[in-house]
């Protein structure tokens, strides 16, 4: 749920006075880089490492929506 909430807050922070959007964007960038490097180390394929990035976002957003939906009900 924190992954999803962080993604939602990035556009809000870009238009606010608080400059936390840079930090949040940097943290997501570091996370994406770590996922890609870890996938490359495990598979030795840049193509698989590149495809792991959208799959991680789909998985984390899906889990976040499911968690928030269960929590709201």
């Amino acid at each position: 749920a924190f992954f999803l909430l962080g993604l939602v807050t990035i556009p809000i922070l870009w238009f606010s006075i608080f400059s936390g959007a840079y930090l949040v964007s940097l943290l997501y960038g570091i996370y994406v880089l770590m996922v890609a490097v870890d996938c490359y180390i495990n598979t030795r394929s840049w193509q698989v490492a590149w495809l792991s990035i959208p799959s991680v976002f789909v998985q984390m957003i899906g889990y976040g929506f499911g968690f928030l939906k269960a929590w709201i009900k």
Side-chain angles (χ1 to χ4, degrees):
F2 290 115
F3 188 88
L4 178 63
L5 293 175
L7 281 178
V8 171
T9 60
I10 288 175
I12 296 167
L13 289 174
W14 279 107
F15 294 109
S16 70
I17 297 171
F18 178 66
S19 63
Y22 296 112
L23 177 62
V24 175
S25 299
L26 177 67
L27 292 175
Y28 276 103
I30 291 170
Y31 179 72
V32 165
L33 182 65
M34 288 176 17
V35 166
V37 168
D38 181 56
C39 187
Y40 176 74
I41 290 171
N42 288 324
T43 64
R44 298 287 185 216
S45 169
W46 283 111
Q47 185 177 11
V48 174
W50 182 253
L51 292 173
S52 70
I53 296 169
S55 68
V56 166
F57 273 85
V58 168
Q59 180 181 4
M60 297 299 280
I61 290 170
Y63 281 134
F65 272 126
F67 179 79
L68 290 176
K69 184 178 174 183
W71 186 64
I72 290 172
K73 284 187 176 185

